[in-house]
Amino acid sequence: MHCEVAPLTYEQFRAGQVCPGCGRPYLDTEPSEAKGIMNYSDSERACYDREEARFKEAHRSCGSHSFGVSGSLTKHCSKCCPPPPFSPAQRDRLATLLRAPTPDHDLMVWQLRLYCGHTVERRAHASHKTVHAAFTGSTKCAECGCEPAIIIDARAIGLVAPPPNTGTSPTGATVRKPTRAALEKRITELEAEVARLHANSDQVLGEPGQ
């Protein structure tokens, strides 16, 4: 294994060259669907466990985390192995995203349940249609600091903000449909207000002379 080696070019990666750090392939011969450990069959879990054990044995003293390529089970070390190169389309997309802040109406809020047992909320670009595309199957837990924290379940809650110009009222004013995240937040606020009113009512009824 070699640390701090130069990454492959995109052409080398597409040609199937192995990782220059550990000598193992980036893309497995047999594709592996990333669907969460809890959803693996017995045979899929056995393959996952074998790869996990192999990685820990090979990189026991590295003190770094692992990463993999979508569709492949093989794990690589963030210290020993350079990441796979971006494709031309990915580079163009990245350049576009970096040129300006992503507007809120292009950001999707995800609720993620992690392997460590905690549930967190994360944002990702709305163009990602699956949780694995949005977070590559893992994230960092804000509760316990575990990184990478494997995502075992997820659901998209809604956009951070509604898209602009979603419609107009009879007067010509813009009508925006509230997102699910906004509705859930409003429900929580109303429940808290009801609880406060009940508490005030009980206090008034309990005072002498009332």
Side-chain angles (χ1 to χ4, degrees):
M1 294 180 291
H2 306 278
C3 299
E4 299 180 358
V5 295
L8 299 177
T9 65
Y10 182 69
E11 290 72 21
Q12 291 171 328
F13 174 75
R14 290 290 297 171
Q17 290 195 27
V18 298
C19 169
C22 68
R24 294 181 61 83
Y26 282 114
L27 298 173
D28 296 342
T29 303
E30 296 184 5
S32 175
E33 182 182 359
K35 54 185 178 181
I37 299 176
M38 293 185 63
N39 300 316
Y40 282 162
S41 65
D42 291 342
S43 60
E44 290 172 331
R45 181 57 189 264
C47 291
Y48 176 88
D49 289 342
R50 284 196 297 270
E51 177 59 22
E52 183 76 9
R54 182 209 62 80
F55 175 83
K56 290 181 178 179
E57 179 63 27
H59 302 275
R60 186 179 301 277
S61 60
C62 291
S64 187
H65 62 274
S66 65
F67 72 89
V69 176
S70 178
S72 295
L73 189 62
T74 300
K75 293 179 177 292
H76 294 268
C77 175
S78 292
K79 179 179 180 181
C80 302
C81 308
F86 289 119
S87 69
Q90 288 173 322
R91 288 197 297 266
D92 292 342
R93 179 62 174 163
L94 184 60
T96 300
L97 294 175
L98 292 177
R99 276 196 289 266
T102 303
D104 285 346
H105 62 263
D106 282 339
L107 291 174
M108 178 65 68
V109 179
W110 290 82
Q111 189 176 74
L112 310 176
R113 186 156 58 91
L114 307 178
Y115 187 69
C116 60
H118 295 118
T119 299
V120 298
E121 285 190 0
R122 290 288 185 272
R123 297 180 180 184
H125 198 273
S127 62
H128 299 303
K129 302 305 180 183
T130 67
V131 64
H132 296 291
F135 304 101
T136 65
S138 65
T139 185
K140 181 178 181 180
C141 179
E143 297 292 334
C144 64
C146 179
E147 183 180 13
I150 298 174
I151 301 169
I152 60 176
D153 191 26
R155 69 185 182 97
I157 298 177
L159 296 174
V160 175
N165 300 324
T166 55
T168 57
S169 68
T171 61
T174 299
V175 178
R176 295 182 176 180
K177 183 179 179 180
T179 64
R180 182 169 180 174
L183 290 174
E184 290 182 346
K185 180 180 179 181
R186 183 56 179 160
I187 290 173
T188 301
E189 292 173 347
L190 291 173
E191 289 175 343
E193 179 67 14
V194 170
R196 185 184 66 79
L197 292 174
H198 277 303
N200 291 343
S201 176
D202 292 341
Q203 184 178 3
V204 171
L205 292 176
E207 292 178 354
Q210 299 294 324

